[in-house]
Amino acid sequence: MNKLLNVVLLLVIPSLGYTQPSTARSSGEIKGPFLWKSNIYPGTERSYWVYVPSQYDAKKPACLMVVQDGLSRANGWHLPTVLDSLISEKKIPVLIGVFIDHGTVPSGNDYYPRYNRSFEYDALGDRYSRFLLEELLPEVSRSYNISADPNDRSIAGASSGAICAFNVAWERPDQFRRVLSTIGTYVGLRGADELATLVRKTEAKPLRIFLQDGTQDLNIYAGDWWMANQNMLSALSWAGYEVNHAWGEGGGHDSKHTITILPDALTWLWKDYPAPVQT
């Protein structure tokens, strides 16, 4: 049975047993920004960064964590420090982090590009997964030995980036099987309000999903984020997925709660590795 967690905002999940690491740990390196111009999203360009842990050995395929919204999201989560700690403590495997910004369309004026974020992140379908698998990740793999095993690959995001992360794994479970979704926008912007129904109507896929949200998340014309995330949890649980969650009392549409639960969420996503994710 899946263990479903209810936590108070700004309190670490107690039952997963995460303790603060010692200060004596090796720090990974963040390389970039690198510029990428996409053909799958014509006219767009974006920056990306690569996190390389000190334990990385080019002779051994490394696991992967893709994060939407680039280095700003990773830093907002304190993710590089968390990865340093968890990898050093062997709570998660050695992994390469790829932190990718959404696309922008230059306007000729440096101050006012057109942002392509909602078009890329909120939409259903396989376009963004093709962007990752046909364009960006092959480029990163030219420099780093990244495992092609879907059990070794995770993807994460917040808000619309969480929709994007889930949708990539949903479309391509042959490539990604571990999903971190925080304050997910499972509402009616570009069709993501249909995902919970699709989960119920589709044979379960080999995915492991961690959901985070708070009771004071957005409630606007497109939907109610708090209710939508609970609906996703219900659908995933009913359909037989390995799913876990952290709900924050009073948590809004921000990263405050995520910061407190991130080490435990990542530890759970990679639990029992290298045992494969099961349906």
Side-chain angles (χ1 to χ4, degrees):
M1 295 291 292
N2 294 323
K3 184 177 183 181
L4 305 181
L5 305 180
N6 286 284
V7 299
V8 178
L9 179 63
L10 301 183
L11 293 180
V12 177
I13 303 173
S15 59
L16 294 183
Y18 177 76
T19 56
Q20 291 297 326
S22 68
T23 56
R25 61 173 180 267
S26 300
S27 297
E29 183 178 1
I30 296 177
K31 299 185 179 183
F34 305 105
L35 183 67
W36 184 260
K37 297 183 178 181
S38 175
N39 292 318
I40 289 177
Y41 293 105
T44 65
E45 58 185 41
R46 73 200 66 222
S47 296
Y48 70 93
W49 295 258
V50 180
Y51 164 85
V52 185
S54 60
Q55 297 87 348
Y56 171 70
D57 181 351
K59 296 178 182 179
K60 301 177 182 178
C63 293
L64 174 69
M65 182 178 187
V66 174
V67 178
Q68 318 317 313
D69 287 315
L71 186 61
S72 62
R73 177 67 65 205
N75 283 340
W77 284 347
H78 304 167
L79 179 60
T81 301
V82 171
L83 293 178
D84 286 345
S85 299
L86 296 181
I87 292 172
S88 178
E89 295 176 354
K90 302 185 186 307
K91 292 186 175 181
I92 65 173
V94 174
L95 59 80
I96 296 291
V98 183
F99 310 149
I100 310 169
D101 273 341
H102 60 81
T104 61
V105 179
S107 64
N109 182 331
D110 291 340
Y111 297 101
Y112 299 104
R114 191 186 80 202
Y115 293 103
N116 213 42
R117 185 173 184 269
S118 179
F119 183 73
E120 295 178 7
Y121 287 3
D122 290 313
L124 303 188
D126 69 349
R127 193 170 186 176
Y128 193 84
S129 62
R130 290 195 299 109
F131 159 72
L132 289 180
L133 297 171
E134 297 174 19
E135 289 191 355
L136 197 69
L137 291 181
E139 177 64 19
V140 176
S141 295
R142 289 163 57 91
S143 301
Y144 302 99
N145 186 2
I146 298 175
S147 173
D149 186 338
N151 191 59
D152 296 349
R153 293 184 167 198
S154 63
I155 187 164
S159 188
S160 295
I163 291 298
C164 183
F166 180 85
N167 188 53
V168 167
W170 174 259
E171 291 286 339
R172 296 300 302 270
D174 62 319
Q175 295 290 330
F176 291 91
R177 293 193 176 170
R178 304 173 195 266
V179 181
L180 174 63
S181 166
T182 75
I183 55 174
T185 305
Y186 299 100
V187 297
L189 290 177
R190 295 179 183 269
D193 53 328
E194 297 294 327
L195 278 173
T197 301
L198 289 173
V199 166
R200 291 177 180 273
K201 291 183 175 181
T202 306
E203 183 177 355
K205 304 177 183 185
L207 302 178
R208 180 180 294 168
I209 305 107
F210 194 102
L211 301 171
Q212 176 277 329
D213 199 28
T215 59
Q216 299 302 311
D217 204 346
L218 295 174
N219 186 5
I220 59 173
Y221 71 94
D224 184 325
W225 269 244
W226 169 234
M227 297 302 295
N229 276 271
Q230 292 180 83
N231 193 29
M232 278 295 291
L233 174 62
S234 176
L236 290 164
S237 300
W238 181 88
Y241 283 85
E242 192 174 6
V243 60
N244 207 335
H245 74 281
W247 296 152
E249 293 294 334
H253 200 71
D254 54 48
S255 295
K256 293 179 181 178
H257 185 211
T258 301
I259 292 169
T260 70
I261 60 91
L262 184 60
D264 295 301
L266 293 179
T267 299
W268 181 82
L269 280 174
W270 290 98
K271 69 183 178 73
D272 301 326
Y273 181 85
V277 173
Q278 302 289 342
T279 304

